[in-house]
Amino acid sequence: MAVVVWIAEGTWPACVDAARTHAPEGADIVLLHITPADIPGAAHGAFAGLLGRGHPERDPGTTLEHMATASAGQLLADAAQRLGRPCTRTERTGRVEREVVAAAEGADLLVLARDGDRTRLGPRSLGPASRFIIDHAPCPLLLVWPETAPGIATIPPPPPQPPGPPHHR
């Protein structure tokens, strides 16, 4: 069984715990971290636009790339330690939601966590990235709450019902 676990800041412990609980022993587990490509790119563009291309050693985009790589490596190391069993660590850069979907191709299970408003049940508990992944995943999903799920009292009330047809006597 091939299991991909999306390791994202803030939600990764719940995903790792779910993989440890639900993936059978001997499963091939891939811990996946995606670094968004747009942040260093924006810094590169701003630097070039403001100061020109004459001093690439001062480009803040390069610094951000190095920081993102180090952060991803540490996050994956922490996730692997928490998992406590053999796994593969994979780092990718790009549009987060598309990279997660691409990495899940051929997998038997994708584990991800809710990344939106987690104070109530409902569709807003899914951020844009997880909504895209859920809609486009090429494999079964295990969607987890990063913390204890809110109670069912947080479900919004149903919309008012239109009046029915008049009763005849």
Side-chain angles (χ1 to χ4, degrees), residues 63-89:
T63 302
L64 286 173
E65 287 172 350
H66 294 303
M67 290 172 63
T69 299
S71 176
Q74 185 60 54
L75 203 58
L76 286 169
D78 292 347
Q81 182 177 14
R82 186 177 184 111
L83 182 63
R85 52 201 255 199
C87 62
T88 302
R89 302 176 204 177

Side-chain angles (χ1 to χ4, degrees), residues 37-140:
D38 55 350
I39 295 172
H44 286 305
F47 177 77
L50 291 173
L51 301 173
R53 302 179 191 275
H55 296 281
E57 72 279 359
R58 296 192 309 203
D59 184 346
T62 304
T63 302
L64 286 173
E65 287 172 350
H66 294 303
M67 290 172 63
T69 299
S71 176
Q74 185 60 54
L75 203 58
L76 286 169
D78 292 347
Q81 182 177 14
R82 186 177 184 111
L83 182 63
R85 52 201 255 199
C87 62
T88 302
R89 302 176 204 177
T90 301
E91 296 177 46
R92 295 172 85 148
T93 301
R95 291 197 52 134
V96 173
E97 63 277 9
R98 292 185 179 274
E99 291 295 328
V100 173
V101 169
E105 185 174 22
D108 297 301
L109 182 65
L110 172 61
V111 180
L112 70 155
R114 294 176 183 272
D115 60 352
D117 176 8
R118 299 187 306 259
T119 61
R120 63 181 54 97
L121 298 173
R124 291 200 172 117
S125 67
L126 301 172
S130 59
R131 175 83 268 162
F132 182 93
I133 293 163
I134 289 167
D135 289 344
H136 297 89
C139 65

